[in-house]
Amino acid sequence: MSKFTIAIHGGAGTILKSMLTPELELSYHIGLQDALNAGYHILEKGGFSIDAVQAAVVSLENNILFNAGKGSVFTNKGIHEMDACLMEGKNLEAGSVAGVRSVKNPILLCSEIMQHSGHVLLSGQGAQDFAVLRGMELLPEDYFYSEFRYNQWQEIKDSELYLLDHKENAGGSDKKFGTVGAVALDVHGNVAAATSTGGMTNKRYGRLGDSCIVGIGNYANNKTCAVSCTGHGEFFIRSVVAYDVSCLMEYKGMNLKDACEKVVLDKLVKIEGEGGLIAVDTLGSYELCFNSEGMYRGAKTSDGINVVGIYK
Amino acid sequence: MSKFTIAIHGGAGTILKSMLTPELELSYHIGLQDALNAGYHILEKGGFSIDAVQAAVVSLENNILFNAGKGSVFTNKGIHEMDACLMEGKNLEAGSVAGVRSVKNPILLCSEIMQHSGHVLLSGQGAQDFAVLRGMELLPEDYFYSEFRYNQWQEIKDSELYLLDHKENAGGSDKKFGTVGAVALDVHGNVAAATSTGGMTNKRYGRLGDSCIVGIGNYANNKTCAVSCTGHGEFFIRSVVAYDVSCLMEYKGMNLKDACEKVVLDKLVKIEGEGGLIAVDTLGSYELCFNSEGMYRGAKTSDGINVVGIYK
């Protein structure tokens, strides 16, 4: 039987063992394992990678611990504006959503956009209108509420430094890039990638990051690999991160590991672009690569590998 | 003295000689030459490419003939929502705006975003709020009005095919991708790229195209080239067009001409992605490459070349 593999992340940043209680650490492990299992379950039945990555991301979006869907961070106006992207390596089909509110699972909206809109990228109120048209579930603002994220926002919402990430505000002690993502290879040889996020706490001015952008925060191509990123979005955009990994493989002949390390541990480090990415190739290899203190991550393969990790 | 070069476009698509009166054709030629001159004037005085591309794009945004700034197409709601992107090859700095209203020159807002927001990509009402904060000129909706675009919208606004490009609605006779863009090399060896558009007539659901996205519709890198695209945005997004040209040069060692032709005349053609792009490299070469019937275009170099064209 052909190989299959799924890898996931739940965000990267300054995640130190000293910052998590044993109970919270366990909750993260359970959340990551649940998401892995949700995707793996589809793959082992011969299902498609495009469905497996959605199942894994839905699981993470529904988990209040992660900054995507339920538990998304607060914008400067005290609301939740979410970005997501879904891409299929077989035919390079993609669907993305930017700055959408009220949609329970933005990654499922991406699937609707991919299949039914005739477009790739929808944004704002218009994207929500499209979700309604497609009969998707909308939820009141308080569904997305989490006390942890609310307190995080309260601490910085009146700051003059509102434009900056909480990284700068918290003096480096809370440098976290909350995003969730999944990449997978199925038995049919197809790769797929899914990424979803609530973005940056206290964000203003309709700021969009890399997560919703094909080729930047999320990319899949059966010729090379599938990639989902998490990190300081502005640096990831300027580096066109996900497609760069793919191009290094396709045009320079690098393998998955070398391509990921070139981008994350060399190119991004040089411009102080903190974060990481997960990737799979069509051979069944996976990479969980980051230049930050930690990344919530996991991988599960048909070869019997099952790993979940948080710290370096 | 070092070489300098500027190239511009005003959109691609089914542009046939039979569709333009001699008077209109002359007006397009004058508009393109004015934009070229505006950018060239800065370059010949030793100015920077980042300023030259903005000057050229401002000239095209202010010209009612082109689908950007004044003269932008109408959305399904009868308004104008504009996208733009600016990028500097020296340091990979970039600023982008998605779905903004009322801003006279979206490309100048990109410059403000690049320099003063701490972000790369701002969207919607938030982007307009940022423009106000930066003291930029906002204009009433009727500034952007053009009779031609209004009639174009009236023809299809009640169509069931609202999600499709007017390409399909007009049976192939009006397959136009209105965008403007400029790329330049200055005497200091820096390349830059600028792109601006009103998007797709009758667009809904906050649809965004490729023009506002770094690496897709617009890219600049002193290692390789500067690129500005125009075409069916959805295909350009899925192909990560602008960065693909750069990667083919950097990783495969192609020259500018071969890289542009590989992407536009081979890869895009295979997926029926109609459109084109303009590009310059750091040697002073330029390309005006398209797979459609026509592209409003021009180039002017320190070697004395001055070309303006519309048809194949």
Side-chain angles (χ1 to χ4, degrees):
Chain A
M1 197 180 74
S2 295
K3 287 187 179 187
F4 52 92
T5 300
I6 182 162
I8 61 167
H9 71 78
T14 309
I15 309 165
L16 300 168
K17 200 165 175 61
S18 57
M19 292 161 64
L20 297 185
T21 62
E23 294 73 24
L24 192 55
E25 188 179 305
L26 181 62
S27 299
Y28 275 111
H29 270 271
I30 292 170
L32 291 166
Q33 189 65 57
D34 285 350
L36 270 182
N37 292 347
Y40 189 84
H41 193 58
I42 290 171
L43 296 175
E44 69 177 349
K45 290 193 293 188
F48 293 109
S49 54
I50 190 75
D51 297 315
V53 295
Q54 286 179 75
V57 166
V58 163
S59 176
L60 293 164
E61 283 179 338
N62 292 350
N63 188 326
I64 200 165
L65 290 175
F66 300 99
N67 175 21
K70 187 180 179 72
S72 283
V73 299
F74 287 79
T75 70
N76 181 264
K77 291 186 175 162
I79 59 173
H80 308 279
E81 290 178 346
M82 300 169 286
D83 309 330
C85 182
L86 179 68
M87 189 162 185
E88 194 162 12
K90 185 174 58 177
N91 46 21
L92 305 184
E93 294 282 348
S96 300
V97 64
V100 75
R101 295 176 63 180
S102 308
V103 173
K104 184 182 179 194
N105 292 112
I107 201 68
L108 299 182
L109 176 53
C110 291
S111 179
E112 294 288 328
I113 290 168
M114 182 170 90
Q115 295 179 71
H116 302 292
S117 76
H119 296 306
V120 171
L121 175 52
L122 302 184
S123 65
Q125 180 62 44
Q128 188 177 318
D129 293 346
F130 182 76
V132 170
L133 186 80
R134 297 297 311 165
M136 296 195 71
E137 187 172 12
L138 297 192
L139 293 169
E141 207 66 38
D142 62 2
Y143 166 79
F144 300 93
Y145 176 89
S146 61
E147 191 181 352
F148 168 67
R149 302 293 184 194
Y150 183 78
N151 292 338
Q152 217 173 36
W153 172 55
Q154 288 296 310
E155 276 174 34
I156 62 167
K157 79 185 176 83
D158 300 319
S159 165
E160 286 301 312
L161 298 167
Y162 50 77
L163 284 173
L164 302 173
D165 195 305
H166 40 147
K167 158 187 172 176
E168 284 81 0
N169 299 289
S173 70
D174 188 22
K175 207 168 169 179
K176 274 187 222 142
F177 309 108
T179 314
V180 308
V183 291
L185 167 72
D186 62 33
V187 295
H188 315 286
N190 297 319
V191 295
T195 306
S196 181
T197 186
M200 199 179 260
T201 296
N202 209 36
K203 67 185 175 184
R204 279 194 179 191
Y205 305 128
R207 179 261 183 191
L208 301 176
D210 62 311
S211 302
C212 58
I213 308 184
V214 169
I216 301 187
N218 195 75
Y219 186 71
N221 188 334
N222 278 6
K223 277 190 186 169
T224 53
C225 61
V227 179
S228 170
C229 299
T230 171
H232 197 142
E234 279 68 14
F235 294 95
F236 279 59
I237 292 176
R238 291 165 48 202
S239 304
V240 200
V241 168
Y243 192 58
D244 203 24
V245 171
S246 177
C247 286
L248 285 167
M249 294 178 71
E250 185 175 358
Y251 301 147
K252 262 197 128 52
M254 284 190 182
N255 64 28
L256 185 72
K257 182 179 167 65
D258 290 346
C260 291
E261 291 184 352
K262 175 73 184 170
V263 172
V264 177
L265 305 182
D266 180 18
K267 294 176 82 170
L268 277 171
V269 167
K270 279 180 184 152
I271 61 167
E272 297 180 37
E274 190 174 344
L277 58 79
I278 56 171
V280 294
D281 65 17
T282 49
L283 305 172
S285 301
Y286 70 87
E287 291 297 320
L288 312 168
C289 190
F290 54 101
N291 61 35
S292 47
E293 288 293 331
M295 181 167 80
Y296 299 106
R297 63 197 184 275
K300 193 170 167 109
T301 78
S302 54
D303 294 337
I305 291 171
N306 184 66
V307 293
V308 170
I310 299 179
Y311 318 111
K312 228 175 210 166
Chain B
M1 197 179 74
S2 295
K3 287 186 179 190
F4 53 92
T5 299
I6 183 163
I8 60 167
H9 71 78
T14 309
I15 309 165
L16 300 169
K17 199 164 174 64
S18 57
M19 293 161 65
L20 297 185
T21 62
E23 294 73 23
L24 192 55
E25 190 178 305
L26 180 62
S27 299
Y28 275 112
H29 270 270
I30 292 170
L32 291 166
Q33 189 64 58
D34 284 350
L36 270 182
N37 292 347
Y40 190 84
H41 193 58
I42 290 171
L43 295 175
E44 71 177 347
K45 289 192 294 188
F48 294 108
S49 53
I50 190 76
D51 298 316
V53 295
Q54 286 179 77
V57 166
V58 163
S59 175
L60 293 164
E61 284 178 338
N62 292 349
N63 187 327
I64 200 164
L65 290 175
F66 300 99
N67 176 19
K70 186 179 182 72
S72 284
V73 299
F74 287 79
T75 70
N76 181 264
K77 291 187 175 162
I79 58 173
H80 308 278
E81 291 179 345
M82 300 169 286
D83 309 330
C85 183
L86 179 68
M87 188 161 185
E88 193 162 11
K90 186 174 59 178
N91 46 22
L92 306 183
E93 294 282 349
S96 300
V97 65
V100 75
R101 296 177 62 180
S102 309
V103 173
K104 184 183 180 194
N105 292 110
I107 202 66
L108 299 182
L109 176 53
C110 291
S111 178
E112 294 288 327
I113 290 168
M114 180 171 92
Q115 295 180 70
H116 302 292
S117 76
H119 296 306
V120 170
L121 174 53
L122 302 184
S123 65
Q125 179 63 45
Q128 188 178 318
D129 294 345
F130 183 75
V132 170
L133 186 80
R134 296 299 311 167
M136 294 193 72
E137 187 172 10
L138 297 193
L139 293 169
E141 207 65 39
D142 62 3
Y143 166 78
F144 300 93
Y145 177 88
S146 60
E147 193 182 350
F148 168 68
R149 302 293 182 194
Y150 183 78
N151 292 339
Q152 216 172 38
W153 171 56
Q154 289 295 311
E155 276 174 33
I156 62 166
K157 81 187 174 81
D158 300 319
S159 164
E160 286 301 312
L161 299 167
Y162 51 77
L163 283 174
L164 302 173
D165 196 306
H166 41 146
K167 160 186 171 177
E168 283 81 1
N169 298 287
S173 71
D174 188 24
K175 207 168 170 179
K176 274 187 221 144
F177 309 107
T179 314
V180 307
V183 291
L185 167 72
D186 61 32
V187 294
H188 315 286
N190 297 318
V191 295
T195 306
S196 182
T197 187
M200 199 179 260
T201 297
N202 210 35
K203 67 185 175 184
R204 278 195 180 190
Y205 305 127
R207 179 262 184 188
L208 301 176
D210 61 310
S211 302
C212 58
I213 307 183
V214 169
I216 300 187
N218 195 75
Y219 187 72
N221 187 335
N222 277 6
K223 277 188 185 170
T224 53
C225 60
V227 179
S228 170
C229 299
T230 172
H232 197 144
E234 279 69 14
F235 294 95
F236 279 60
I237 292 176
R238 291 164 51 203
S239 305
V240 200
V241 168
Y243 192 57
D244 204 24
V245 172
S246 177
C247 286
L248 284 167
M249 294 179 70
E250 185 175 359
Y251 300 147
K252 260 195 128 55
M254 283 189 182
N255 65 27
L256 185 72
K257 181 178 168 67
D258 290 346
C260 291
E261 292 184 351
K262 175 74 184 167
V263 173
V264 176
L265 305 182
D266 179 18
K267 295 176 81 170
L268 277 171
V269 167
K270 279 179 185 152
I271 60 167
E272 297 181 35
E274 190 174 345
L277 58 80
I278 55 170
V280 295
D281 65 17
T282 49
L283 305 172
S285 300
Y286 71 87
E287 290 297 321
L288 312 168
C289 190
F290 54 101
N291 61 33
S292 47
E293 289 292 332
M295 181 167 80
Y296 298 107
R297 63 198 184 274
K300 194 170 165 106
T301 79
S302 55
D303 293 336
I305 292 171
N306 184 66
V307 293
V308 169
I310 299 179
Y311 318 110
K312 228 175 210 168

